[in-house]
PDB file of all heavy atoms in Angstrom:
ATOM      1  N   GLN B  11      83.301  97.756  76.817  1.00  0.00           N
ATOM      2  CA  GLN B  11      82.994  97.803  75.398  1.00  0.00           C
ATOM      3  C   GLN B  11      82.794  96.394  74.877  1.00  0.00           C
ATOM      4  O   GLN B  11      83.397  95.440  75.391  1.00  0.00           O
ATOM      5  CB  GLN B  11      84.168  98.403  74.603  1.00  0.00           C
ATOM      6  CG  GLN B  11      84.524  99.812  74.897  1.00  0.00           C
ATOM      7  CD  GLN B  11      85.688 100.272  74.026  1.00  0.00           C
ATOM      8  OE1 GLN B  11      86.798 100.488  74.501  1.00  0.00           O
ATOM      9  NE2 GLN B  11      85.429 100.432  72.730  1.00  0.00           N
ATOM     10  N   ASP B  12      82.009  96.275  73.826  1.00  0.00           N
ATOM     11  CA  ASP B  12      81.878  95.011  73.100  1.00  0.00           C
ATOM     12  C   ASP B  12      83.183  94.821  72.321  1.00  0.00           C
ATOM     13  O   ASP B  12      83.556  95.678  71.528  1.00  0.00           O
ATOM     14  CB  ASP B  12      80.690  95.107  72.144  1.00  0.00           C
ATOM     15  CG  ASP B  12      80.478  93.843  71.326  1.00  0.00           C
ATOM     16  OD1 ASP B  12      81.384  92.982  71.297  1.00  0.00           O
ATOM     17  OD2 ASP B  12      79.414  93.729  70.706  1.00  0.00           O
ATOM     18  N   PRO B  13      83.891  93.722  72.529  1.00  0.00           N
ATOM     19  CA  PRO B  13      85.194  93.563  71.856  1.00  0.00           C
ATOM     20  C   PRO B  13      85.105  93.337  70.357  1.00  0.00           C
ATOM     21  O   PRO B  13      86.087  93.509  69.641  1.00  0.00           O
ATOM     22  CB  PRO B  13      85.796  92.346  72.560  1.00  0.00           C
ATOM     23  CG  PRO B  13      84.619  91.591  73.075  1.00  0.00           C
ATOM     24  CD  PRO B  13      83.587  92.612  73.425  1.00  0.00           C
ATOM     25  N   GLY B  14      83.889  92.943  69.871  1.00  0.00           N
ATOM     26  CA  GLY B  14      83.748  92.645  68.453  1.00  0.00           C
ATOM     27  C   GLY B  14      84.347  91.290  68.143  1.00  0.00           C
ATOM     28  O   GLY B  14      84.372  90.418  69.016  1.00  0.00           O
ATOM     29  N   PRO B  15      84.864  91.018  66.935  1.00  0.00           N
ATOM     30  CA  PRO B  15      85.063  92.029  65.893  1.00  0.00           C
ATOM     31  C   PRO B  15      83.781  92.350  65.126  1.00  0.00           C
ATOM     32  O   PRO B  15      82.884  91.544  65.043  1.00  0.00           O
ATOM     33  CB  PRO B  15      86.094  91.362  64.988  1.00  0.00           C
ATOM     34  CG  PRO B  15      85.839  89.898  65.130  1.00  0.00           C
ATOM     35  CD  PRO B  15      85.381  89.698  66.547  1.00  0.00           C
ATOM     36  N   PHE B  16      83.748  93.566  64.635  1.00  0.00           N
ATOM     37  CA  PHE B  16      82.707  93.985  63.719  1.00  0.00           C
ATOM     38  C   PHE B  16      83.308  93.897  62.314  1.00  0.00           C
ATOM     39  O   PHE B  16      84.281  94.572  62.018  1.00  0.00           O
ATOM     40  CB  PHE B  16      82.279  95.441  63.988  1.00  0.00           C
ATOM     41  CG  PHE B  16      81.411  95.612  65.196  1.00  0.00           C
ATOM     42  CD1 PHE B  16      81.851  95.252  66.453  1.00  0.00           C
ATOM     43  CD2 PHE B  16      80.147  96.160  65.081  1.00  0.00           C
ATOM     44  CE1 PHE B  16      81.057  95.419  67.574  1.00  0.00           C
ATOM     45  CE2 PHE B  16      79.336  96.335  66.191  1.00  0.00           C
ATOM     46  CZ  PHE B  16      79.790  95.966  67.443  1.00  0.00           C
ATOM     47  N   ASN B  17      82.721  93.031  61.492  1.00  0.00           N
ATOM     48  CA  ASN B  17      83.180  92.884  60.109  1.00  0.00           C
ATOM     49  C   ASN B  17      82.125  93.495  59.207  1.00  0.00           C
ATOM     50  O   ASN B  17      80.990  93.000  59.153  1.00  0.00           O
ATOM     51  CB  ASN B  17      83.384  91.411  59.769  1.00  0.00           C
ATOM     52  CG  ASN B  17      84.465  90.779  60.636  1.00  0.00           C
ATOM     53  OD1 ASN B  17      85.583  91.290  60.716  1.00  0.00           O
ATOM     54  ND2 ASN B  17      84.140  89.672  61.288  1.00  0.00           N
ATOM     55  N   GLY B 109      88.587  98.016  74.043  1.00  0.00           N
ATOM     56  CA  GLY B 109      88.508  98.303  72.624  1.00  0.00           C
ATOM     57  C   GLY B 109      87.532  97.423  71.875  1.00  0.00           C
ATOM     58  O   GLY B 109      87.233  96.296  72.285  1.00  0.00           O
ATOM     59  N   THR B 110      87.033  97.984  70.777  1.00  0.00           N
ATOM     60  CA  THR B 110      86.174  97.256  69.853  1.00  0.00           C
ATOM     61  C   THR B 110      86.890  97.176  68.518  1.00  0.00           C
ATOM     62  O   THR B 110      87.279  98.204  67.958  1.00  0.00           O
ATOM     63  CB  THR B 110      84.821  97.969  69.659  1.00  0.00           C
ATOM     64  OG1 THR B 110      84.141  98.024  70.907  1.00  0.00           O
ATOM     65  CG2 THR B 110      83.967  97.229  68.642  1.00  0.00           C
ATOM     66  N   LYS B 111      87.047  95.958  68.023  1.00  0.00           N
ATOM     67  CA  LYS B 111      87.789  95.782  66.781  1.00  0.00           C
ATOM     68  C   LYS B 111      86.864  95.900  65.583  1.00  0.00           C
ATOM     69  O   LYS B 111      85.811  95.263  65.532  1.00  0.00           O
ATOM     70  CB  LYS B 111      88.482  94.418  66.778  1.00  0.00           C
ATOM     71  CG  LYS B 111      89.427  94.220  65.621  1.00  0.00           C
ATOM     72  CD  LYS B 111      90.264  92.976  65.793  1.00  0.00           C
ATOM     73  CE  LYS B 111      91.246  92.823  64.645  1.00  0.00           C
ATOM     74  NZ  LYS B 111      92.100  91.629  64.794  1.00  0.00           N
ATOM     75  N   LEU B 112      87.259  96.732  64.637  1.00  0.00           N
ATOM     76  CA  LEU B 112      86.506  96.929  63.403  1.00  0.00           C
ATOM     77  C   LEU B 112      87.346  96.477  62.227  1.00  0.00           C
ATOM     78  O   LEU B 112      88.494  96.860  62.104  1.00  0.00           O
ATOM     79  CB  LEU B 112      86.133  98.403  63.219  1.00  0.00           C
ATOM     80  CG  LEU B 112      85.501  98.764  61.860  1.00  0.00           C
ATOM     81  CD1 LEU B 112      84.146  98.105  61.696  1.00  0.00           C
ATOM     82  CD2 LEU B 112      85.380 100.287  61.716  1.00  0.00           C
TER      83      LEU B 112
END
Side-chain angles (χ1 to χ4, degrees):
Chain B
Q11 297 181 250
D12 179 346
F16 284 60
N17 297 307
T110 298
K111 188 170 182 179
L112 172 66

